[in-house]
Amino acid sequence: QVQLVESGGGWVQAGDSLRLSCAASGRTLSSYHVGWFRQAPGKEREFVAVINFSGTSTDYEDSVKGRFTISRDNAKNTVYLQMNSLKAEDTAVYYCAARNYYYNYRNRRYDYWGQGTQVTVSS
């Protein structure tokens, strides 16, 4: 069992930056692939970014490419999402999730989910 806790969300202006953290407990996060998802009001939860267990492979949703960077520090049992040049359309609750397999990583069938952290970007 892995417990995930997101932090770092907040209220920012368009163009600002935030760094979200996903801290794990229960088991080492180094055994898991980790994705970031987001959900805006009235919309389905959508894929944002993913990083494999070793940090050697990443992928991003098209709208965040070049602005967001996912990384991990397995020694700290933490995955990060650096969010730069934030836009109003980035406003959502952001969730991290973990699972044991990397294929089909854009779907929502992850084994463990955090409770989410709110990111609000004002224009």
Side-chain angles (χ1 to χ4, degrees), residues 56-87:
T56 58
S57 181
T58 60
D59 194 25
Y60 301 89
E61 193 272 328
D62 286 344
S63 69
V64 309
K65 287 180 179 178
R67 298 190 298 120
F68 291 9
T69 302
I70 188 171
S71 62
R72 67 191 303 159
D73 186 341
N74 285 337
K76 296 182 178 179
N77 223 24
T78 302
V79 171
Y80 305 97
L81 185 67
Q82 179 66 46
M83 309 164 66
N84 297 329
S85 301
L86 284 163
K87 305 174 180 179

PDB file of all heavy atoms in Angstrom, residues 56-87:
ATOM      1  N   THR A  56      13.666   7.865 -16.045  1.00  0.00           N
ATOM      2  CA  THR A  56      14.308   7.904 -17.346  1.00  0.00           C
ATOM      3  C   THR A  56      13.343   8.169 -18.490  1.00  0.00           C
ATOM      4  O   THR A  56      13.783   8.388 -19.618  1.00  0.00           O
ATOM      5  CB  THR A  56      15.057   6.591 -17.610  1.00  0.00           C
ATOM      6  OG1 THR A  56      14.149   5.489 -17.542  1.00  0.00           O
ATOM      7  CG2 THR A  56      16.171   6.387 -16.579  1.00  0.00           C
ATOM      8  N   SER A  57      12.051   8.132 -18.236  1.00  0.00           N
ATOM      9  CA  SER A  57      11.060   8.351 -19.273  1.00  0.00           C
ATOM     10  C   SER A  57       9.948   9.243 -18.750  1.00  0.00           C
ATOM     11  O   SER A  57       9.437   9.021 -17.645  1.00  0.00           O
ATOM     12  CB  SER A  57      10.480   7.018 -19.753  1.00  0.00           C
ATOM     13  OG  SER A  57       9.531   7.216 -20.780  1.00  0.00           O
ATOM     14  N   THR A  58       9.578  10.246 -19.545  1.00  0.00           N
ATOM     15  CA  THR A  58       8.481  11.143 -19.184  1.00  0.00           C
ATOM     16  C   THR A  58       7.616  11.411 -20.400  1.00  0.00           C
ATOM     17  O   THR A  58       8.047  11.245 -21.545  1.00  0.00           O
ATOM     18  CB  THR A  58       8.995  12.484 -18.639  1.00  0.00           C
ATOM     19  OG1 THR A  58       9.789  13.135 -19.642  1.00  0.00           O
ATOM     20  CG2 THR A  58       9.835  12.280 -17.387  1.00  0.00           C
ATOM     21  N   ASP A  59       6.393  11.854 -20.154  1.00  0.00           N
ATOM     22  CA  ASP A  59       5.503  12.266 -21.224  1.00  0.00           C
ATOM     23  C   ASP A  59       4.540  13.297 -20.671  1.00  0.00           C
ATOM     24  O   ASP A  59       4.294  13.342 -19.458  1.00  0.00           O
ATOM     25  CB  ASP A  59       4.745  11.076 -21.815  1.00  0.00           C
ATOM     26  CG  ASP A  59       4.071  11.403 -23.137  1.00  0.00           C
ATOM     27  OD1 ASP A  59       4.533  12.325 -23.833  1.00  0.00           O
ATOM     28  OD2 ASP A  59       3.080  10.730 -23.488  1.00  0.00           O
ATOM     29  N   TYR A  60       3.990  14.131 -21.573  1.00  0.00           N
ATOM     30  CA  TYR A  60       3.140  15.238 -21.175  1.00  0.00           C
ATOM     31  C   TYR A  60       1.947  15.380 -22.105  1.00  0.00           C
ATOM     32  O   TYR A  60       2.010  15.040 -23.292  1.00  0.00           O
ATOM     33  CB  TYR A  60       3.919  16.560 -21.215  1.00  0.00           C
ATOM     34  CG  TYR A  60       5.127  16.592 -20.324  1.00  0.00           C
ATOM     35  CD1 TYR A  60       6.367  16.163 -20.786  1.00  0.00           C
ATOM     36  CD2 TYR A  60       5.028  17.051 -19.013  1.00  0.00           C
ATOM     37  CE1 TYR A  60       7.484  16.192 -19.964  1.00  0.00           C
ATOM     38  CE2 TYR A  60       6.146  17.082 -18.188  1.00  0.00           C
ATOM     39  CZ  TYR A  60       7.364  16.655 -18.675  1.00  0.00           C
ATOM     40  OH  TYR A  60       8.468  16.685 -17.850  1.00  0.00           O
ATOM     41  N   GLU A  61       0.865  15.908 -21.560  1.00  0.00           N
ATOM     42  CA  GLU A  61      -0.258  16.322 -22.378  1.00  0.00           C
ATOM     43  C   GLU A  61       0.192  17.522 -23.219  1.00  0.00           C
ATOM     44  O   GLU A  61       0.978  18.357 -22.756  1.00  0.00           O
ATOM     45  CB  GLU A  61      -1.444  16.672 -21.485  1.00  0.00           C
ATOM     46  CG  GLU A  61      -2.768  16.828 -22.211  1.00  0.00           C
ATOM     47  CD  GLU A  61      -2.973  18.235 -22.713  1.00  0.00           C
ATOM     48  OE1 GLU A  61      -2.499  19.180 -22.059  1.00  0.00           O
ATOM     49  OE2 GLU A  61      -3.625  18.389 -23.766  1.00  0.00           O
ATOM     50  N   ASP A  62      -0.316  17.615 -24.436  1.00  0.00           N
ATOM     51  CA  ASP A  62       0.202  18.595 -25.379  1.00  0.00           C
ATOM     52  C   ASP A  62       0.141  20.035 -24.866  1.00  0.00           C
ATOM     53  O   ASP A  62       1.060  20.823 -25.095  1.00  0.00           O
ATOM     54  CB  ASP A  62      -0.560  18.509 -26.710  1.00  0.00           C
ATOM     55  CG  ASP A  62      -0.187  17.283 -27.518  1.00  0.00           C
ATOM     56  OD1 ASP A  62       0.855  16.658 -27.235  1.00  0.00           O
ATOM     57  OD2 ASP A  62      -0.940  16.954 -28.456  1.00  0.00           O
ATOM     58  N   SER A  63      -0.910  20.384 -24.158  1.00  0.00           N
ATOM     59  CA  SER A  63      -1.094  21.768 -23.748  1.00  0.00           C
ATOM     60  C   SER A  63      -0.096  22.229 -22.684  1.00  0.00           C
ATOM     61  O   SER A  63       0.046  23.436 -22.459  1.00  0.00           O
ATOM     62  CB  SER A  63      -2.517  21.992 -23.243  1.00  0.00           C
ATOM     63  OG  SER A  63      -2.750  21.323 -22.020  1.00  0.00           O
ATOM     64  N   VAL A  64       0.594  21.300 -22.040  1.00  0.00           N
ATOM     65  CA  VAL A  64       1.551  21.682 -20.999  1.00  0.00           C
ATOM     66  C   VAL A  64       2.994  21.464 -21.420  1.00  0.00           C
ATOM     67  O   VAL A  64       3.910  21.835 -20.671  1.00  0.00           O
ATOM     68  CB  VAL A  64       1.278  20.943 -19.671  1.00  0.00           C
ATOM     69  CG1 VAL A  64      -0.182  21.089 -19.262  1.00  0.00           C
ATOM     70  CG2 VAL A  64       1.670  19.473 -19.765  1.00  0.00           C
ATOM     71  N   LYS A  65       3.224  20.897 -22.587  1.00  0.00           N
ATOM     72  CA  LYS A  65       4.585  20.661 -23.053  1.00  0.00           C
ATOM     73  C   LYS A  65       5.339  21.982 -23.174  1.00  0.00           C
ATOM     74  O   LYS A  65       4.835  22.957 -23.713  1.00  0.00           O
ATOM     75  CB  LYS A  65       4.580  19.946 -24.401  1.00  0.00           C
ATOM     76  CG  LYS A  65       4.181  18.490 -24.323  1.00  0.00           C
ATOM     77  CD  LYS A  65       4.204  17.831 -25.692  1.00  0.00           C
ATOM     78  CE  LYS A  65       3.826  16.363 -25.596  1.00  0.00           C
ATOM     79  NZ  LYS A  65       3.786  15.719 -26.934  1.00  0.00           N
ATOM     80  N   GLY A  66       6.551  21.993 -22.655  1.00  0.00           N
ATOM     81  CA  GLY A  66       7.354  23.197 -22.660  1.00  0.00           C
ATOM     82  C   GLY A  66       7.119  24.102 -21.475  1.00  0.00           C
ATOM     83  O   GLY A  66       7.911  25.027 -21.241  1.00  0.00           O
ATOM     84  N   ARG A  67       6.045  23.872 -20.733  1.00  0.00           N
ATOM     85  CA  ARG A  67       5.738  24.677 -19.550  1.00  0.00           C
ATOM     86  C   ARG A  67       5.856  23.885 -18.251  1.00  0.00           C
ATOM     87  O   ARG A  67       6.288  24.440 -17.239  1.00  0.00           O
ATOM     88  CB  ARG A  67       4.321  25.247 -19.651  1.00  0.00           C
ATOM     89  CG  ARG A  67       4.109  26.178 -20.835  1.00  0.00           C
ATOM     90  CD  ARG A  67       2.771  26.897 -20.760  1.00  0.00           C
ATOM     91  NE  ARG A  67       1.644  25.956 -20.793  1.00  0.00           N
ATOM     92  CZ  ARG A  67       0.737  25.838 -19.825  1.00  0.00           C
ATOM     93  NH1 ARG A  67       0.810  26.599 -18.741  1.00  0.00           N
ATOM     94  NH2 ARG A  67      -0.256  24.967 -19.939  1.00  0.00           N
ATOM     95  N   PHE A  68       5.464  22.635 -18.279  1.00  0.00           N
ATOM     96  CA  PHE A  68       5.495  21.791 -17.083  1.00  0.00           C
ATOM     97  C   PHE A  68       6.637  20.791 -17.190  1.00  0.00           C
ATOM     98  O   PHE A  68       6.956  20.310 -18.281  1.00  0.00           O
ATOM     99  CB  PHE A  68       4.186  21.011 -16.926  1.00  0.00           C
ATOM    100  CG  PHE A  68       2.980  21.835 -16.579  1.00  0.00           C
ATOM    101  CD1 PHE A  68       3.010  23.224 -16.597  1.00  0.00           C
ATOM    102  CD2 PHE A  68       1.802  21.200 -16.234  1.00  0.00           C
ATOM    103  CE1 PHE A  68       1.892  23.978 -16.285  1.00  0.00           C
ATOM    104  CE2 PHE A  68       0.673  21.937 -15.914  1.00  0.00           C
ATOM    105  CZ  PHE A  68       0.718  23.323 -15.944  1.00  0.00           C
ATOM    106  N   THR A  69       7.221  20.462 -16.051  1.00  0.00           N
ATOM    107  CA  THR A  69       8.266  19.455 -15.990  1.00  0.00           C
ATOM    108  C   THR A  69       8.001  18.527 -14.815  1.00  0.00           C
ATOM    109  O   THR A  69       7.865  18.985 -13.678  1.00  0.00           O
ATOM    110  CB  THR A  69       9.660  20.079 -15.836  1.00  0.00           C
ATOM    111  OG1 THR A  69       9.914  20.972 -16.922  1.00  0.00           O
ATOM    112  CG2 THR A  69      10.732  18.990 -15.822  1.00  0.00           C
ATOM    113  N   ILE A  70       7.936  17.243 -15.096  1.00  0.00           N
ATOM    114  CA  ILE A  70       7.785  16.257 -14.038  1.00  0.00           C
ATOM    115  C   ILE A  70       9.159  15.688 -13.711  1.00  0.00           C
ATOM    116  O   ILE A  70       9.976  15.455 -14.596  1.00  0.00           O
ATOM    117  CB  ILE A  70       6.793  15.147 -14.443  1.00  0.00           C
ATOM    118  CG1 ILE A  70       6.490  14.220 -13.258  1.00  0.00           C
ATOM    119  CG2 ILE A  70       7.288  14.366 -15.649  1.00  0.00           C
ATOM    120  CD1 ILE A  70       5.354  13.244 -13.526  1.00  0.00           C
ATOM    121  N   SER A  71       9.409  15.485 -12.438  1.00  0.00           N
ATOM    122  CA  SER A  71      10.679  14.930 -11.999  1.00  0.00           C
ATOM    123  C   SER A  71      10.452  14.137 -10.725  1.00  0.00           C
ATOM    124  O   SER A  71       9.388  14.202 -10.119  1.00  0.00           O
ATOM    125  CB  SER A  71      11.724  16.031 -11.774  1.00  0.00           C
ATOM    126  OG  SER A  71      11.311  16.913 -10.744  1.00  0.00           O
ATOM    127  N   ARG A  72      11.465  13.387 -10.339  1.00  0.00           N
ATOM    128  CA  ARG A  72      11.332  12.632  -9.101  1.00  0.00           C
ATOM    129  C   ARG A  72      12.658  12.550  -8.385  1.00  0.00           C
ATOM    130  O   ARG A  72      13.727  12.567  -8.998  1.00  0.00           O
ATOM    131  CB  ARG A  72      10.758  11.236  -9.364  1.00  0.00           C
ATOM    132  CG  ARG A  72      11.645  10.288 -10.147  1.00  0.00           C
ATOM    133  CD  ARG A  72      10.852   9.044 -10.583  1.00  0.00           C
ATOM    134  NE  ARG A  72      10.269   8.352  -9.445  1.00  0.00           N
ATOM    135  CZ  ARG A  72       9.233   7.513  -9.521  1.00  0.00           C
ATOM    136  NH1 ARG A  72       8.661   7.273 -10.697  1.00  0.00           N
ATOM    137  NH2 ARG A  72       8.778   6.921  -8.428  1.00  0.00           N
ATOM    138  N   ASP A  73      12.571  12.466  -7.076  1.00  0.00           N
ATOM    139  CA  ASP A  73      13.720  12.258  -6.222  1.00  0.00           C
ATOM    140  C   ASP A  73      13.385  11.047  -5.368  1.00  0.00           C
ATOM    141  O   ASP A  73      12.723  11.163  -4.340  1.00  0.00           O
ATOM    142  CB  ASP A  73      14.001  13.487  -5.368  1.00  0.00           C
ATOM    143  CG  ASP A  73      15.283  13.367  -4.576  1.00  0.00           C
ATOM    144  OD1 ASP A  73      15.781  12.244  -4.383  1.00  0.00           O
ATOM    145  OD2 ASP A  73      15.807  14.415  -4.135  1.00  0.00           O
ATOM    146  N   ASN A  74      13.831   9.893  -5.819  1.00  0.00           N
ATOM    147  CA  ASN A  74      13.464   8.667  -5.127  1.00  0.00           C
ATOM    148  C   ASN A  74      14.058   8.581  -3.724  1.00  0.00           C
ATOM    149  O   ASN A  74      13.497   7.921  -2.853  1.00  0.00           O
ATOM    150  CB  ASN A  74      13.873   7.448  -5.957  1.00  0.00           C
ATOM    151  CG  ASN A  74      12.952   7.226  -7.139  1.00  0.00           C
ATOM    152  OD1 ASN A  74      11.809   7.666  -7.146  1.00  0.00           O
ATOM    153  ND2 ASN A  74      13.453   6.533  -8.160  1.00  0.00           N
ATOM    154  N   ALA A  75      15.188   9.255  -3.507  1.00  0.00           N
ATOM    155  CA  ALA A  75      15.770   9.284  -2.170  1.00  0.00           C
ATOM    156  C   ALA A  75      14.856   9.999  -1.185  1.00  0.00           C
ATOM    157  O   ALA A  75      14.860   9.685   0.010  1.00  0.00           O
ATOM    158  CB  ALA A  75      17.143   9.946  -2.198  1.00  0.00           C
ATOM    159  N   LYS A  76      14.078  10.965  -1.685  1.00  0.00           N
ATOM    160  CA  LYS A  76      13.126  11.693  -0.850  1.00  0.00           C
ATOM    161  C   LYS A  76      11.710  11.142  -0.965  1.00  0.00           C
ATOM    162  O   LYS A  76      10.789  11.677  -0.349  1.00  0.00           O
ATOM    163  CB  LYS A  76      13.126  13.175  -1.213  1.00  0.00           C
ATOM    164  CG  LYS A  76      14.443  13.877  -0.929  1.00  0.00           C
ATOM    165  CD  LYS A  76      14.364  15.353  -1.277  1.00  0.00           C
ATOM    166  CE  LYS A  76      15.661  16.064  -0.943  1.00  0.00           C
ATOM    167  NZ  LYS A  76      15.604  17.507  -1.295  1.00  0.00           N
ATOM    168  N   ASN A  77      11.547  10.104  -1.781  1.00  0.00           N
ATOM    169  CA  ASN A  77      10.242   9.471  -1.959  1.00  0.00           C
ATOM    170  C   ASN A  77       9.195  10.480  -2.439  1.00  0.00           C
ATOM    171  O   ASN A  77       8.042  10.470  -1.998  1.00  0.00           O
ATOM    172  CB  ASN A  77       9.776   8.817  -0.657  1.00  0.00           C
ATOM    173  CG  ASN A  77       9.167   7.447  -0.875  1.00  0.00           C
ATOM    174  OD1 ASN A  77       9.454   6.763  -1.856  1.00  0.00           O
ATOM    175  ND2 ASN A  77       8.309   7.034   0.053  1.00  0.00           N
ATOM    176  N   THR A  78       9.601  11.334  -3.372  1.00  0.00           N
ATOM    177  CA  THR A  78       8.768  12.444  -3.809  1.00  0.00           C
ATOM    178  C   THR A  78       8.848  12.624  -5.318  1.00  0.00           C
ATOM    179  O   THR A  78       9.918  12.477  -5.913  1.00  0.00           O
ATOM    180  CB  THR A  78       9.188  13.745  -3.112  1.00  0.00           C
ATOM    181  OG1 THR A  78       9.097  13.571  -1.688  1.00  0.00           O
ATOM    182  CG2 THR A  78       8.285  14.898  -3.518  1.00  0.00           C
ATOM    183  N   VAL A  79       7.708  12.948  -5.922  1.00  0.00           N
ATOM    184  CA  VAL A  79       7.621  13.333  -7.323  1.00  0.00           C
ATOM    185  C   VAL A  79       7.143  14.776  -7.388  1.00  0.00           C
ATOM    186  O   VAL A  79       6.288  15.191  -6.597  1.00  0.00           O
ATOM    187  CB  VAL A  79       6.680  12.397  -8.101  1.00  0.00           C
ATOM    188  CG1 VAL A  79       6.416  12.924  -9.503  1.00  0.00           C
ATOM    189  CG2 VAL A  79       7.281  11.003  -8.179  1.00  0.00           C
ATOM    190  N   TYR A  80       7.681  15.527  -8.337  1.00  0.00           N
ATOM    191  CA  TYR A  80       7.376  16.939  -8.459  1.00  0.00           C
ATOM    192  C   TYR A  80       6.749  17.243  -9.809  1.00  0.00           C
ATOM    193  O   TYR A  80       6.971  16.543 -10.794  1.00  0.00           O
ATOM    194  CB  TYR A  80       8.643  17.789  -8.326  1.00  0.00           C
ATOM    195  CG  TYR A  80       9.417  17.542  -7.055  1.00  0.00           C
ATOM    196  CD1 TYR A  80      10.507  16.681  -7.041  1.00  0.00           C
ATOM    197  CD2 TYR A  80       9.055  18.175  -5.873  1.00  0.00           C
ATOM    198  CE1 TYR A  80      11.221  16.455  -5.881  1.00  0.00           C
ATOM    199  CE2 TYR A  80       9.763  17.954  -4.707  1.00  0.00           C
ATOM    200  CZ  TYR A  80      10.845  17.096  -4.715  1.00  0.00           C
ATOM    201  OH  TYR A  80      11.548  16.882  -3.550  1.00  0.00           O
ATOM    202  N   LEU A  81       5.971  18.311  -9.835  1.00  0.00           N
ATOM    203  CA  LEU A  81       5.493  18.871 -11.080  1.00  0.00           C
ATOM    204  C   LEU A  81       5.779  20.365 -11.050  1.00  0.00           C
ATOM    205  O   LEU A  81       5.110  21.119 -10.339  1.00  0.00           O
ATOM    206  CB  LEU A  81       3.996  18.619 -11.284  1.00  0.00           C
ATOM    207  CG  LEU A  81       3.434  19.085 -12.629  1.00  0.00           C
ATOM    208  CD1 LEU A  81       4.004  18.248 -13.775  1.00  0.00           C
ATOM    209  CD2 LEU A  81       1.906  19.025 -12.637  1.00  0.00           C
ATOM    210  N   GLN A  82       6.800  20.780 -11.786  1.00  0.00           N
ATOM    211  CA  GLN A  82       7.122  22.190 -11.917  1.00  0.00           C
ATOM    212  C   GLN A  82       6.236  22.791 -12.990  1.00  0.00           C
ATOM    213  O   GLN A  82       6.243  22.337 -14.133  1.00  0.00           O
ATOM    214  CB  GLN A  82       8.598  22.373 -12.281  1.00  0.00           C
ATOM    215  CG  GLN A  82       9.027  23.825 -12.457  1.00  0.00           C
ATOM    216  CD  GLN A  82       8.970  24.617 -11.176  1.00  0.00           C
ATOM    217  OE1 GLN A  82       9.426  24.140 -10.138  1.00  0.00           O
ATOM    218  NE2 GLN A  82       8.404  25.814 -11.233  1.00  0.00           N
ATOM    219  N   MET A  83       5.480  23.805 -12.633  1.00  0.00           N
ATOM    220  CA  MET A  83       4.496  24.411 -13.517  1.00  0.00           C
ATOM    221  C   MET A  83       4.887  25.865 -13.754  1.00  0.00           C
ATOM    222  O   MET A  83       4.799  26.691 -12.847  1.00  0.00           O
ATOM    223  CB  MET A  83       3.099  24.329 -12.903  1.00  0.00           C
ATOM    224  CG  MET A  83       2.720  22.922 -12.440  1.00  0.00           C
ATOM    225  SD  MET A  83       1.293  22.891 -11.317  1.00  0.00           S
ATOM    226  CE  MET A  83      -0.005  23.451 -12.409  1.00  0.00           C
ATOM    227  N   ASN A  84       5.323  26.165 -14.960  1.00  0.00           N
ATOM    228  CA  ASN A  84       5.727  27.513 -15.333  1.00  0.00           C
ATOM    229  C   ASN A  84       4.736  28.111 -16.324  1.00  0.00           C
ATOM    230  O   ASN A  84       3.982  27.392 -16.980  1.00  0.00           O
ATOM    231  CB  ASN A  84       7.129  27.504 -15.951  1.00  0.00           C
ATOM    232  CG  ASN A  84       8.200  27.042 -14.992  1.00  0.00           C
ATOM    233  OD1 ASN A  84       8.110  27.252 -13.787  1.00  0.00           O
ATOM    234  ND2 ASN A  84       9.243  26.424 -15.536  1.00  0.00           N
ATOM    235  N   SER A  85       4.768  29.418 -16.434  1.00  0.00           N
ATOM    236  CA  SER A  85       3.913  30.135 -17.390  1.00  0.00           C
ATOM    237  C   SER A  85       2.466  29.694 -17.273  1.00  0.00           C
ATOM    238  O   SER A  85       1.801  29.382 -18.264  1.00  0.00           O
ATOM    239  CB  SER A  85       4.430  29.935 -18.817  1.00  0.00           C
ATOM    240  OG  SER A  85       5.761  30.389 -18.953  1.00  0.00           O
ATOM    241  N   LEU A  86       1.960  29.685 -16.067  1.00  0.00           N
ATOM    242  CA  LEU A  86       0.615  29.178 -15.821  1.00  0.00           C
ATOM    243  C   LEU A  86      -0.439  30.034 -16.514  1.00  0.00           C
ATOM    244  O   LEU A  86      -0.309  31.255 -16.615  1.00  0.00           O
ATOM    245  CB  LEU A  86       0.341  29.110 -14.327  1.00  0.00           C
ATOM    246  CG  LEU A  86       1.010  27.930 -13.619  1.00  0.00           C
ATOM    247  CD1 LEU A  86       1.057  28.156 -12.119  1.00  0.00           C
ATOM    248  CD2 LEU A  86       0.265  26.632 -13.945  1.00  0.00           C
ATOM    249  N   LYS A  87      -1.467  29.354 -16.983  1.00  0.00           N
ATOM    250  CA  LYS A  87      -2.581  29.985 -17.671  1.00  0.00           C
ATOM    251  C   LYS A  87      -3.869  29.726 -16.902  1.00  0.00           C
ATOM    252  O   LYS A  87      -3.953  28.786 -16.114  1.00  0.00           O
ATOM    253  CB  LYS A  87      -2.715  29.430 -19.094  1.00  0.00           C
ATOM    254  CG  LYS A  87      -1.465  29.539 -19.939  1.00  0.00           C
ATOM    255  CD  LYS A  87      -1.660  28.833 -21.274  1.00  0.00           C
ATOM    256  CE  LYS A  87      -0.416  28.923 -22.137  1.00  0.00           C
ATOM    257  NZ  LYS A  87      -0.598  28.217 -23.432  1.00  0.00           N
TER     258      LYS A  87
END
